[in-house]
Amino acid sequence: MSPCPRPDLISRYAAGDVGLDDAAGWAVEAHLESCASCRALLVDAVDPPTQDLLDRVARTVAAGIAVGPAPVRRRPWRRTGVLGRSLPWLAVAAGLMLAAVGFEKVYPDLPSLVLLVAPVAPLLPVAAAWSRRTDPAWELLVSTPRNGLGLLLRRTLTVLAVVLPVLAAAGWGTGHSPALWLLPCLAFTAGSLALGALVGVDRAAVGLAAAWAAGVIVPSISVGHLPAVLGAGSWPGWAAVTGALTAAVSLRAAGIRRPGGHRS
């Protein structure tokens, strides 16, 4: 331990003497950390108003430590995770499928709304699961090295794990072949991921959903029959498209960097 500084030096340090050079002040500070007797001299050298302030601060800090922080009230309904952030859109997707089943049962002469809606049912939840607007941890996420295709696929599979059972129930309830609702659904999901490397997954998903609604759903309802792309023999084409788009996702993996992002 260094030798104790002179009492007058400690007094000047306590008083904040501007004439005390930096080197001497640093030496006093370093010594005070390991010398209780000099710290006692420092307390005696402090003027009464300052000492009173220090005492009040010490009492306040001690009281706060003794009481501790108030317990955080946890809300069991608080939305967390991918499903929590996508929950409103998952509810929308489920509601659309249930409405499609209802319309198909009530109006059997209309083209199958289940087949028309199934391809785009998961797109809005996928967009919500990979959007910076719905992800409070976005800034933390973009700083991690695993923020690319692997994370996107995990989030997409989480969404599909919720949406596909609803589609399966709707398809079973209306008697449609699984290939006619499953393959278009997977094809559009893969298409949103592949196109997302260029324009962002959220934009791609919303754009594809809007294009399908305007180009297929509305015209099919207007003319009263399903288009050829949803006919009984269309599933091989959907299978080929799904495979090609899945391969494109792998090739464009470098362009998927972050939620809401696109090619870097």
Side-chain angles (χ1 to χ4, degrees):
M1 185 172 63
S2 60
C4 295
R6 301 187 311 273
D8 64 302
L9 190 60
I10 294 178
S11 299
R12 293 176 61 192
Y13 174 80
D17 187 354
V18 294
L20 187 66
D21 61 273
D22 293 338
W26 294 336
V28 172
E29 288 180 359
H31 179 79
L32 289 172
E33 293 178 358
S34 57
C35 183
S37 59
C38 287
R39 288 197 297 271
L41 290 175
L42 178 65
V43 172
D44 294 337
V46 173
D47 59 276
T50 302
Q51 185 61 52
D52 180 63
L53 175 62
L54 293 176
D55 290 341
R56 285 189 284 111
V57 170
R59 287 193 298 270
T60 302
V61 172
I65 293 174
V67 174
V72 178
R73 184 181 179 184
R74 297 188 177 275
R75 298 176 179 177
W77 50 265
R78 185 178 180 183
R79 299 177 306 185
T80 58
V82 177
L83 287 179
R85 294 190 296 274
S86 305
L87 187 59
W89 297 110
L90 289 169
V92 169
L96 284 175
M97 294 311 304
L98 292 176
V101 172
F103 271 97
E104 195 159 333
K105 295 291 187 181
V106 176
Y107 303 103
D109 294 334
L110 287 177
S112 172
L113 289 180
V114 171
L115 295 183
L116 287 172
V117 174
V120 295
L123 293 190
L124 292 182
V126 167
W130 195 252
S131 173
R132 62 181 296 177
R133 299 174 183 85
T134 60
D135 194 343
W138 175 80
E139 292 184 355
L140 178 62
L141 182 64
V142 298
S143 65
T144 63
R146 300 179 63 187
N147 63 357
L149 181 61
L151 180 60
L152 173 59
L153 291 179
R154 289 194 295 273
R155 291 189 172 188
T156 302
L157 289 175
T158 301
V159 171
L160 290 177
V162 177
V163 174
L164 289 183
V166 178
L167 292 179
W172 176 80
T174 51
H176 295 297
S177 168
L180 295 180
W181 57 260
L182 177 61
L183 290 175
C185 170
L186 296 179
F188 268 81
T189 302
S192 67
L193 303 188
L195 187 59
L198 299 174
V199 299
V201 174
D202 51 349
R203 296 189 186 96
V206 173
L208 287 175
W212 180 260
V216 177
I217 296 178
V218 173
S220 297
I221 295 175
S222 300
V223 300
H225 62 80
L226 289 173
V229 294
L230 292 176
S234 64
W235 68 266
W238 284 111
V241 170
T242 301
L245 289 174
T246 302
V249 171
S250 300
L251 294 175
R252 299 298 306 174
I256 303 173
R257 295 299 186 192
R258 58 188 186 275
H262 47 86
R263 184 193 306 178
S264 56

